[in-house]
Amino acid sequence: MIFIGPPGSGKGTQAKRLSERFGVPHISTGDMLREAIAEGTELGRQAAPIMAEGKLVSDDLMIGIIKDRLARPDAAPGFILDGFPRTLVQAEKLDTIVGNDGEPLRVLQLLVPDDAIVRRITLRRTCSSCGAIYHLENNPPASDSVCDRCGAEVIARADDNEEAVRKRLEAFHRQTLPVATFYKAKSLLREVDGIGPVDEVFERIEKSLA
Ligand code: AMP
């Protein structure tokens, strides 16, 4: 399954829940890149300045990462992709990676208008260790800056500032919306309203999958 949506639309939060519900891995390319940065790998060194600016990392690099990840045994029964594909080139390549075996991809697009995104993202906080996602008003950690799940520090992501968010939104409109059109043409796209409490959006997602 694939999640498409602008930054801050709730893809990560909802993908994590669905992954628990279906028992398949949640594969977030953004999380993978942030891990590479934290570990100081070559990939991390290449990706960090691009991400901080709100631009997209190259298709070649991303396709390589996802190909390796989907080849791991835990992804064999299924997977939830969050943040990939983000360009038409990536979507076309994904088709060749997954082939025609098994069930067809399900593609979910979370619809959230731009003005709501900027407000959401500037209040978003993320666990620096396990990636759990919080919102300072709607879903704050129980104890200030401490992750409820793992106790690590909860921080604002380097690219969760207004300037980078505007660039990320621009990249979404220009490069990722054509991906939604690509799947719509294949009758695989399910559009879900992403406005409202997390539980309500999750219910809508479950209904759209039924
Ligand atoms: P996310 O956590 O999904 O918001 O991704 C954070 C950043 O990682 C993006 O703004 C991009 O710079 C980079 N990134 C993540 N996934 C991709 C992808 N599929 N293609 C290109 N860049 C990506």
Side-chain angles (χ1 to χ4, degrees):
M1 193 160 115
I2 296 172
F3 262 100
I4 298 177
S9 56
K11 298 188 300 291
T13 301
Q14 301 293 347
K16 277 190 178 77
R17 285 202 177 193
L18 275 182
S19 135
E20 281 158 20
R21 167 69 50 95
F22 290 119
V24 295
H26 165 218
I27 301 179
S28 155
T29 42
D31 284 351
M32 290 165 88
L33 292 172
R34 281 183 286 278
E35 270 163 35
I37 293 172
E39 286 164 9
T41 65
E42 179 53 33
L43 167 67
R45 271 193 291 277
Q46 284 186 42
I50 302 170
M51 290 171 74
E53 261 200 82
K55 292 185 180 159
L56 293 189
V57 175
S58 80
D59 286 333
D60 281 352
L61 216 51
M62 297 312 303
I63 288 163
I65 294 173
I66 218 71
K67 204 170 171 183
D68 289 349
R69 181 63 188 87
L70 293 182
R72 282 174 33 194
D74 66 334
F79 48 81
I80 297 178
L81 286 182
D82 158 14
F84 188 99
R86 247 181 166 98
T87 66
L88 269 183
V89 172
Q90 293 178 14
E92 281 160 4
K93 193 70 193 181
L94 182 64
D95 269 358
T96 67
I97 295 172
V98 297
N100 293 321
D101 301 342
E103 285 193 47
L105 288 169
R106 294 170 181 206
V107 186
L108 247 146
Q109 183 181 8
L110 279 177
L111 305 171
V112 180
D114 285 6
D115 54 354
I117 293 295
V118 178
R119 270 182 283 122
R120 273 192 190 188
I121 286 201
T122 43
L123 292 173
R124 175 160 75 179
R125 296 293 181 271
T126 309
C127 173
S128 54
S129 177
C130 73
I133 301 165
Y134 299 93
H135 184 281
L136 289 184
E137 281 173 3
N138 303 338
N139 174 34
S143 165
D144 231 16
S145 305
V146 177
C147 179
D148 296 350
R149 286 200 198 164
C150 74
E153 193 187 3
V154 171
I155 54 166
R157 271 169 48 175
D159 56 352
D160 276 355
N161 59 76
E162 189 163 343
E163 197 188 338
V165 172
R166 297 218 180 266
K167 290 234 179 74
R168 287 158 66 199
L169 274 173
E170 193 188 305
F172 173 74
H173 284 283
R174 198 160 42 86
Q175 292 167 281
T176 309
L177 274 182
V179 174
T181 311
F182 171 86
Y183 288 118
K184 200 169 197 168
K186 292 171 177 267
S187 304
L188 296 175
L189 190 73
R190 297 151 204 249
E191 292 167 294
V192 175
D193 177 5
I195 290 285
V198 172
D199 290 344
E200 273 177 31
V201 176
F202 188 67
E203 271 177 35
R204 284 180 213 140
I205 289 173
E206 284 191 308
K207 269 196 200 129
S208 87
L209 294 174

